[in-house]
Amino acid sequence: MIGFREAHEAVMGSVAALDTERIELSKAYGRVLAEAVVSDIDIPPFDKSAMDGYAVRTKDLIRPPVTLSVHDTLAAGSTIREEAVEGTCVRIMTGAPIPHGFNAVVMFEETEEREGKVRFDDPAAEGQNICRRGEDIERGRQVLGTGALIRGPEIAVLASVGMVRVKVFRSPRVHVLSTGSEVVEPGQPLSFGKIRNSNGPMLCSLVSNSGAEVVYLGIAPDREKELTALIKKGLSGDMLLISGGVSMGDYDLIPGILKGIGAEIILHRVKIKPGKPLLLARRERCIIIGVPGNPVSNFTTFHTFIKPALYKMMGRTDHALHFVHGIAGEDIRKKGERPQLMPSVHRVVDGAFVVEPLPLNGSADIVGCAGCTCLMFVEEGDQNIQRGEMVPIILIEL
Ligand code: AMP
Ligand code: MG
C-alpha cells in the first residue's frame, strides 16, 4: 500500500492545467490568467490631482502668506485649455487633469477662500498632490502574468487596461457519481436497509465551490450494467468522481469495471485513515477518482486529494497541501499503523491556532463533522499527543 504523501504526489502528477478559453471579464473571478497582460495606456493617463484643492504655481507661493484669485473650477472629467495666469489658481477636484503651467495642488483644508480670493499660508513643493502620468504603470509594461489568480485587484487591473475579455485556463468539468444499492436520494422514501445519499450533495457542493463545473450523474446501484453506463457517461468530462464501491466487498465493482473499459489504474489503496480504498485511474483525458463511500472519508479525501488536483487543472499554482502548526487543545490518542486525518476545529487564542479533534463516532459519522474547520494530521503508528504540543493541520476554510 502506498503512503499518503506518495499518493498525493501521484494524484498531482496525473493532472495538469487544462487548455485555455477567452471569457468575459465579469465571469473571470476565481479563474487563472493564461496570458501575460500589458497596459495599453499610461496609468494614470495624464497628470491628475490627488486631492480636492487648488492647482497653483509654486513660484507664486514662495513668500507666504499669499492671496491668489480663482481663475476657474475644474471637475474630474473636464479640462481647460488656457495657460496658467500669474497670480491665479484653479479650483480642482480629485482626478481632474492638472491644467497646463500649474505644478502643485494645495488641499482645500490648508487654505481659506473668500469672494474668489484664496489665502495660502505656506509655500508649496513642486509636484505635491499630483499623480504623474504613467507613475503607476507605463504603457507597454506587463501588469499581470500567466498564472495570476483573478480576484478583486486583478479584475480592477484588467478593467484598467481595457481587457473586457480575458484568456484563462478552462475550469474542469467534473462528473459526480454516487454508488450503492442501499443509497437513495434525500427527499425520497427511505425503506429499511437504505441510507440517504449524503456524499453526492456534499461532493457536488465542494466541487462547485472550488470553482469547477459540476455535473451530477445520480446514484448507480451496485450492478455492473448501470454502473458501466453511468461511468461511461462520466468519462466525457475532465474528472469523474465516484463515491463508494472501491473497497474490498463483494459488490465493490468499480475497479473491475474501470479495468474492463480500458482505464489505467494508477493507484488503489492508500495508507491513510480514513480513505484507505482511494482509487486513482485515467481513461484518455479523464482522471477518475474513486472515493470510499463513508462520508467522512469522502470529506477528507476531497480536501487532501481532489481539491488540490482541481486547483492544478484550473491553472492555479497555489495547490500545494499546506500543513500549518496548531497547538493541541487537549490530549490526543491515536492507535494503529496508518496516519490519520482527524476532522477538527481550530480557534485563534492569543494569535495562535488551538486545535481540537471533533469527537467522531468513526468514519461514517458525518454528523460529527459538522463545524469542521481543519484536518489534523497525526503521524503513523500509536501516538500520544499531549495538550499544548504542536500538531500539523490542514486548514480547509480560509
Ligand atoms: P462503500 O465504500 O461502497 O463500501 O461504502 C462504505 C459505506 O459508506 C457504506 O456503509 C455505505 O452505505 C456508505 N455510503 C456509500 N455511499 C454513500 C453515500 N452516497 N452517502 C452516504 N453514505 C454512503
Ligand atoms: Mg457500496
Side-chain angles (χ1 to χ4, degrees):
M1 212 185 326
I2 119 172
F4 174 72
R5 288 179 175 84
E6 297 143 270
H8 181 79
E9 273 166 31
V11 170
M12 298 311 283
S14 63
V15 294
L18 299 175
D19 46 340
T20 61
E21 61 182 350
R22 204 166 274 283
I23 61 168
E24 300 284 323
L25 179 59
S26 59
K27 302 264 162 44
Y29 190 96
R31 303 291 289 272
V32 176
L33 201 59
E35 63 183 341
V37 171
V38 298
S39 183
D40 65 335
I41 50 167
D42 290 328
I43 299 177
F46 46 83
D47 293 353
K48 66 174 187 182
S49 179
M51 292 290 170
D52 295 323
Y54 298 95
V56 295
R57 304 179 334 149
T58 48
K59 59 183 164 193
D60 289 339
L61 302 188
I62 289 170
R63 269 176 287 281
V66 172
T67 300
L68 302 176
S69 60
V70 178
H71 175 72
D72 211 336
T73 296
L74 198 47
S78 49
T79 52
I80 45 173
R81 297 243 167 263
E82 309 102 277
E83 280 280 328
V85 180
E86 192 181 338
T88 71
C89 60
V90 169
R91 283 177 70 83
I92 190 165
M93 307 306 139
T94 305
I98 303 295
H100 201 73
F102 292 100
N103 63 356
V105 171
V106 180
M107 310 202 272
F108 284 144
E109 293 88 326
E110 293 169 2
T111 61
E112 212 172 298
E113 181 177 340
R114 216 168 271 151
E115 289 156 9
K117 302 266 181 227
V118 191
R119 183 188 153 111
F120 296 86
D121 286 325
D122 298 296
E126 168 145 18
Q128 78 175 36
N129 297 323
I130 293 177
C131 302
R132 288 289 173 206
R133 172 179 178 162
E135 76 175 25
D136 294 345
I137 193 88
E138 283 165 17
R139 180 181 171 180
R141 285 284 187 88
Q142 180 172 316
V143 286
L144 290 171
T146 294
L149 178 59
I150 302 172
R151 300 230 253 224
E154 295 77 15
I155 294 273
V157 169
L158 292 163
S160 304
V161 301
M163 294 285 290
V164 290
R165 290 173 62 77
V166 288
K167 191 174 168 190
V168 294
F169 292 100
R170 196 163 57 73
S171 273
R173 209 167 125 87
V174 181
H175 287 84
V176 172
L177 175 62
S178 298
T179 74
S181 299
E182 77 283 27
V183 182
V184 298
E185 294 295 11
Q188 296 300 307
L190 193 64
S191 54
F192 181 76
K194 308 285 185 184
I195 57 157
R196 290 198 174 110
N197 180 12
S198 55
N199 292 340
M202 177 172 65
L203 280 179
C204 286
S205 307
L206 290 172
V207 166
S208 94
N209 189 53
S210 74
E213 184 194 334
V214 66
V215 183
Y216 179 53
L217 293 170
I219 303 168
D222 297 309
R223 286 193 298 266
E224 192 148 345
K225 194 162 159 252
E226 284 98 326
L227 278 169
T228 308
L230 284 174
I231 286 175
K232 281 187 172 165
K233 212 169 155 185
L235 293 173
S236 62
D238 303 294
M239 182 186 279
L240 169 60
L241 295 179
I242 307 172
S243 105
V246 287
S247 305
M248 303 302 279
D250 292 354
Y251 298 97
D252 290 328
L253 307 174
I254 305 296
I257 291 173
L258 290 176
K259 280 180 207 145
I261 59 168
E264 172 205 356
I265 308 287
I266 303 169
L267 73 85
H268 190 190
R269 293 161 65 79
V270 177
K271 205 169 156 191
I272 188 70
K273 185 182 175 178
K276 181 168 76 175
L278 182 80
L279 180 142
L280 174 69
R282 159 182 297 287
R283 228 222 33 189
E284 291 167 9
R285 275 183 36 247
C286 185
I287 194 82
I288 306 156
I289 302 187
V291 202
N294 267 320
V296 182
S297 337
N298 245 256
F299 176 67
T300 57
T301 303
F302 176 82
H303 285 289
T304 49
F305 293 100
I306 299 167
K307 186 169 135 184
L310 290 175
Y311 276 11
K312 189 171 175 194
M313 293 167 96
M314 283 171 213
R316 287 181 66 153
T317 50
D318 59 341
H319 50 66
L321 203 55
H322 286 299
F323 293 89
V324 299
H325 285 103
I327 302 165
E330 59 185 64
D331 296 348
I332 300 152
R333 279 173 166 273
K334 182 223 132 197
K335 292 216 165 289
E337 218 357 71
R338 283 176 285 155
Q340 194 168 341
L341 288 162
M342 296 185 177
S344 304
V345 175
H346 73 281
R347 48 205 165 87
V348 177
V349 178
D350 296 333
F353 291 148
V354 172
V355 59
E356 285 168 11
L358 286 156
L360 290 194
N361 183 30
S363 54
D365 183 14
I366 197 66
V367 177
C369 277
C372 174
T373 61
C374 65
L375 303 174
M376 185 187 293
F377 185 83
V378 184
E379 290 293 348
E380 61 182 38
D382 292 351
Q383 299 290 340
N384 214 336
I385 298 165
Q386 305 292 307
R387 177 167 181 252
E389 270 184 53
M390 293 299 233
V391 282
I393 59 175
I394 299 164
L395 297 176
I396 61 171
E397 300 293 351
L398 286 174

